[in-house]
Amino acid sequence: MPQSLLHHLLTRLGREGAMTVADFMGEALTHPAAGYYMHGDPFGAPGPVGGDFVTSPEISQMFGELIGIWCVDTWVRLGRPDPCLLVELGPGRGTLMADALRATRQVPGFHAALQVHLVEISPALRERQREALGAHDVTWLDNVGQIPEAPLLVIANEFFDALPVRQFEQTGSDGAGDWAERVVVLADTAKANVGKKDDGKLAFALAAPSPANRALIPAPLRGAAKGAVVEICPAALNIAAFLGHRLARQPGAALIIDYGPAESTPGPTLQALRRHRRHEVLDAPGTADLTAHVDFQSLAQRAVAAGCAAHGPVAPGAFLTALGIEVRAAQLAESAPAAATALTAARRRLTDPAEMGSLFKALALTPRELPPAAGFEPLSPALSSKSEGR
Ligand code: SAH
């Protein structure tokens, strides 16, 4: 129950005084009883019974199907490892995985080699995934650390932007000051009511600046101007390092699709979304989705430092086009002519940067000795000069 999450946070802050923004985000999204993802199904179009946001696999089956094709292509490039883990991080309703598996069922040997693993924290969404993947043998994991040691293909769509971020503010001029962590505290009006009421309020505050914080800030941002806020996502960096280590000693690849700039950029970007509308981050915690932009540069650097290669990030539109979304849309339209207009709209929505925004990106991680995965090859000089000319 959302009210009880606020009550829980007020009580916790009454005891502890302050919590990091990452702690707040973790509680709001994944508190076992009242976290946003734990009790419901947030996906869907706007409307009276609609959800809070729509993700690419929910826009069209083509998204998951083409990611399935990417997995097959990568599996073949890896020498058809058997067994091969197919791991999805944060699978939502299970739509992407269901579409990917359906699109690849006729590939000789692929399904026989696959062991599907889903890393999912929400019992409610695990249930949805079980329904979506009924016919398949699936193993659920609580976290990335539980992924067994084997060749692996990892997919993560809009998973990293749900991982908790810490926020730091530059306190001195000319990038010379110490960084202070932003924290969540009780708003003054709430202090008197601790533990008694659910109508108290939360507020942001700054902890004391500390020289130790500087090491956490991505190097290109350390000189940021006074007042700049930088977000770091320890969970995302740890997962990147984990994947980098794995891909340094096991055949495999990871495909990370999310929202964020290609290069580390100051924020803040933490935002709350409810019924497709912006919501105050600290209001009614547990009732709105919280996301922050993914720092693709730091993610790639951490994975590369751990031993793998990183490719991209590229625009998912270019990636889906390279994988043949136009051909797939035409095939589907041929077998269901009544859906042709909807298919064209869905294809445009998934591939046109004007629709998804320029922050939508795909990053691939592979073993160092492997050439870039499909959709991540550098354009040939002829093609890139052509696209520049348009
Ligand atoms: N990939 C899906 C859903 C994205 S929403 C899609 O594209 O539609 C984020 C997903 O990550 C949800 O399934 C949520 O329950 C899961 N999730 C969020 N935080 C998590 C965590 N810390 N560990 C595991 N799963 C998490």
Side-chain angles (χ1 to χ4, degrees):
M1 289 267 300
Q3 279 303 90
S4 70
L5 183 60
L6 180 58
H7 181 92
H8 164 73
L9 292 172
L10 294 173
T11 312
R12 182 173 160 184
L13 287 172
R15 204 170 52 233
E16 297 173 16
M19 65 175 76
T20 65
V21 172
D23 271 351
F24 168 78
M25 194 172 167
E27 291 261 35
L29 292 179
T30 59
H31 179 278
Y36 174 74
Y37 280 116
M38 305 306 269
H39 48 76
D41 175 357
F43 307 93
V49 290
D52 294 320
F53 58 93
V54 178
T55 56
S56 305
E58 305 299 334
I59 291 174
S60 167
Q61 69 187 78
M62 293 186 286
F63 188 78
E65 288 172 347
L66 292 166
I67 287 181
I69 305 296
W70 183 88
C71 289
V72 169
D73 184 87
T74 308
W75 178 68
V76 171
R77 290 175 193 228
L78 293 170
R80 296 182 165 81
D82 181 359
C84 180
L85 309 181
L86 177 56
V87 185
E88 187 176 354
L89 313 182
R93 285 176 166 172
T95 309
L96 188 162
M97 185 58 80
D99 292 336
L101 290 172
R102 191 188 55 254
T104 57
R105 68 187 161 206
Q106 280 163 359
V107 177
F110 186 53
H111 281 208
L114 287 187
Q115 294 178 358
V116 178
H117 286 70
L118 304 179
V119 177
E120 175 57 66
I121 198 166
S122 161
L125 289 172
R126 282 187 181 198
E127 207 38 57
R128 292 298 304 255
Q129 294 152 20
R130 200 185 312 277
E131 287 162 18
L133 296 168
H136 295 276
D137 197 3
V138 173
T139 305
W140 277 270
L141 307 174
D142 296 330
N143 56 61
V144 168
Q146 295 175 346
I147 298 172
E149 190 76 36
L152 80 176
L153 298 166
V154 178
I155 308 297
N157 184 61
E158 292 201 41
F159 166 73
F160 282 87
D161 70 353
L163 298 177
V165 291
R166 294 173 72 180
Q167 293 184 330
F168 294 91
E169 190 174 315
Q170 166 67 266
T171 59
S173 307
D174 303 326
D178 287 334
W179 292 80
E181 180 150 20
R182 288 180 96 190
V183 290
V184 175
V185 296
L186 296 172
D188 285 341
T189 50
K191 283 183 183 148
N193 295 328
V194 173
K196 293 186 198 130
K197 285 190 170 185
D198 278 345
D199 58 0
K201 278 210 179 320
L202 306 173
F204 287 113
L206 270 192
S210 155
N213 289 337
R214 187 177 172 82
L216 299 171
I217 307 300
L221 301 183
R222 284 186 196 146
K226 183 173 183 182
V229 174
V230 169
E231 290 166 338
I232 63 155
C233 184
L237 296 174
N238 287 340
I239 294 173
F242 175 91
L243 294 172
H245 278 298
R246 273 296 166 93
L247 296 173
R249 58 174 198 270
Q250 290 277 8
L255 177 64
I256 297 167
I257 303 180
D258 228 308
Y259 289 89
E263 292 178 356
S264 300
T265 308
T269 70
L270 175 61
Q271 64 161 11
L273 210 59
R274 188 169 162 189
R275 301 263 175 247
H276 301 259
R277 294 232 172 105
R278 286 287 189 97
H279 182 81
E280 281 299 321
V281 167
L282 296 180
D283 272 2
T287 68
D289 187 32
L290 294 179
T291 56
H293 290 169
V294 171
D295 176 354
F296 280 100
Q297 184 177 8
S298 294
L299 217 60
Q301 272 171 355
R302 193 57 71 96
V304 167
C308 74
H311 309 280
V314 299
F319 169 76
L320 294 170
T321 303
L323 286 165
I325 193 167
E326 281 168 28
V327 177
R328 184 61 188 141
Q331 273 174 350
L332 289 169
E334 208 174 293
S335 52
T341 314
L343 281 161
T344 307
R347 177 176 59 76
R348 191 171 307 130
R349 206 165 153 199
L350 290 175
T351 55
D352 186 346
E355 300 258 350
M356 295 305 269
S358 60
L359 285 169
F360 200 40
K361 304 236 165 40
L363 175 76
L365 305 177
T366 61
R368 277 191 189 146
E369 58 282 5
L370 212 72
F376 290 88
E377 294 97 346
L379 288 178
S380 73
L383 275 177
S384 55
S385 60
K386 191 169 144 205
S387 58
E388 269 164 28
R390 271 189 295 166

